[in-house]
Amino acid sequence: MPNIQLTFPDGTTKEFPHGVTALEVAKSIGPRLAAEALAARVNGRLVDLSSRLEESAPIQLITPNSPEGLEIYRHSSAHLLAAAVLELYPDAHPGVGPATDSGFFYDFYRPQPFTEADLAKIELKMQELVRADLPYERVTFGKDEGLKLFEEKGEFLKCELIREKAEPVFSAYRTGKFLDFCRGPHIPSTGRIKAVKLLSVAGARWKGDEHSHPLQRIYGTAFFNQKELDAHLHQLEEAKRRDHRRLGKDLDLFSIQDEAGPGLVFWHPKGGIIRKEIEDFLRAELLARGYELVYTPHVARLDLWKTSGHANFYRENMFTTMALDDAEYQLKPMNCPGHIMIYKSSRRSYRELPMRLAEFGTVYRYERSGVMHGLLRVRGFTQDDAHIFCAPEQIEDEIAACVEFAKLVLTTFGFERYEVELSVRDAAEPAKYAGAAEDWERAEGALEKTLSRMGIPFKRMEGEAVFYGPKIDVKLIDAIGRPWQLSTVQFDFSLPVRFGLEYVGADGRAHTPLMVHRALLGSVERFFGVLIEHYAGAFPLWLAPVQAVVLPVSEKHLDYARSVAGELRAAKFRAHLDDRNEKLNARVRDAQLQKVPLMLVVGDREAQGHGVAVRRRDTGDAGFRPLAELMGWMRELIDTRAVKW
RNA sequence: GCCGGCGUAGCUCAGUCGGUAGAGCAACGGUUUCGUAAACCGUAGGUCGGGGGUUCGAUUCCCUUCGCCGGCUCCA
């Protein structure tokens, strides 16, 4: 056999004997690389290090530094988990076990539930298998022969997968007692796994189908070293610390109560003031941008929802109807028909377009009982909703303005990074979508062109559009790197037609307007939840429910403290006087735990100089400051909505 | 809705192998008057999530229902 030529990523080419393994190639470069390598990419395909190379090709060794490295490593960790489970629980039947964004999981069918104690046992067994340094052995089978083998082992879930997905000759990987139908590649052996941890067990369904076999999903994560794993676990702790449900209670921002019902939010005074600030900011911006503020009823005749189509395709998400004297009425799950009613209330001219109708519209949606989650998923919520009715030639400017507006909102609330997704239709299935193909083309083109023109990088999501139109979603990234989908800008080709919307054009003829649906916060409740977690409850001055707490050193200083608090309140600051009979230390601690931005200590010295001793929530004692000067500084921070101060 | 776990004082939690419950913090009353993260003493507070069953007796065991938590599915 002639030698083969392998080309490395740096462009150099070396000659190797026919049938050389990827591992031997790595060794020829250096022992360090051979020790680190996890897999290889040959001719664009990921393969095991043990695979034999039989023709000339480009080759790249996958190491922990490669983007694919971690995924392969975690996938192998999932196999390790399954191997450990099969050792301990031979009655468990493996389902699927992929790597995920933050770790891996493996699904098992087993009548008996896994407990926390089982997880600990499994983890110990995994460590044992790591010490045993078992190879990930690749074997290939003919489809019939392989199927028979898995049938004999009683692996009915695997058999189903093989029947559905396997090529005539398919690969499987053996790790100890565990044999998995799997494309690979895998790391060479279990000894390479350095830091792995099981996290939780949860229910799942075979193939995500709720009518299918109930499975138990064991979640875990793996990293290349203990330090990274610890950092990840610390991150999980941090997320827990920021949990808005915890902080909502601790800071007395909101509650959700059994007595009233799940998914229904009570905004307490402190949450309420934050909401007011958010809404005031948005309302001012809406007016400045040519939006008009409207209000629409919370219920309407079911007929309206029949016209809109919601009564049909959105029924499972709506509250049940109420029968009144004259007709069935429906609690609104969306604001669009209301705004359409306003548009339709009179004959519209092209001169009135674009018409931008905005409302903080409270909607009610029936959510299945298991899906509610704090403020992030509720049954009653308020959207910062707006519908823009415009002529086709106005689309691009309107879209650009919406995206620009969304960016302003994100930066105002201290979000520094975001991701944009453009969801377009699946061109192969035109029947799934409402509206003419040419409208879709124009709208998708307009969205894409606008984003490109604005220099905003975006991900194109083929087939992700809703049936009534394409959309742009903005995902913001919070302080600890988690993405949240909030802002959305959507086209709607369906509703203008359903409601027979028109405007009279310059040509004197009737035309159908285009409708854009957009929400920037998405829902005020969800946004608030995200905001709480983003700031970990430590809101910037302009949002803080209590901006400053005045702390008299002793009872002697109460009068002066009262006058300071009074002056602050007269100047429209949210100041609170803590006149409790507690030691200063205790009151400082309470203010600190309540995350009050400014603590103003007043005693003899301060009274004499008509000032306060400022303690900042973040950096502590900041020394004496005359009251007038302090108020000027606070005013500036609040008016500019300063995020950092 | 489904799988698993959990509901004890306002909060965080302990406890009862079946004999109707405790701690810390918070609240309230008093003492203390204090300089940047918890003063001291005292008082009060619970149909042990709701309903049903077994039992002489249930907060404890069983059933059921509501809710919460982790996921699945779905989503602003």
Side-chain angles (χ1 to χ4, degrees), chain A residues 280-292:
Chain A
D280 284 354
F281 157 68
L282 269 175
R283 260 192 269 266
E285 287 296 330
L286 284 165
L287 291 174
R289 288 156 195 269
Y291 286 81
E292 299 170 286

Side-chain angles (χ1 to χ4, degrees), chain A residues 445-462:
Chain A
L447 290 172
E448 186 151 6
K449 209 158 107 195
T450 306
L451 289 175
S452 306
R453 204 180 62 205
M454 295 176 77
I456 294 173
F458 62 93
K459 209 154 80 187
R460 202 181 149 93
M461 312 289 279
E462 304 289 341

Side-chain angles (χ1 to χ4, degrees), chain A residues 3 8 16 140 196 198 214 219 222 248 254 297 331 337 369 411 477 483 508 556 576 581 591:
Chain A
N3 286 348
F8 294 95
F16 289 92
T140 53
V196 61
L198 298 184
Y219 281 92
F254 69 90
L331 202 48
S369 64
T411 51
I477 313 294
K556 281 190 308 210
H576 170 72
N581 180 11

Side-chain angles (χ1 to χ4, degrees), chain A residues 282-294 354-359 384-388 398-399 401-403 405-406 489 516-520:
Chain A
L282 269 175
R283 260 192 269 266
E285 287 296 330
L286 284 165
L287 291 174
R289 288 156 195 269
Y291 286 81
E292 299 170 286
L293 302 179
V294 300
M355 181 182 286
R356 311 181 187 93
L357 302 181
E359 174 180 16
D384 66 319
D385 212 354
H387 294 89
I388 300 169
E398 290 305 311
I399 297 301
C402 285
V403 175
F405 197 174
V489 180
V516 176
H517 168 118
R518 47 107 287 186
L520 303 182

Side-chain angles (χ1 to χ4, degrees), chain A residues 471-492:
Chain A
K471 61 172 180 172
I472 293 176
D473 289 327
V474 181
K475 287 186 175 169
L476 56 82
I477 313 294
D478 78 3
I480 58 172
R482 297 171 300 182
W484 302 92
Q485 209 260 288
L486 298 168
S487 308
T488 179
V489 180
Q490 311 186 343
F491 271 89
D492 193 330

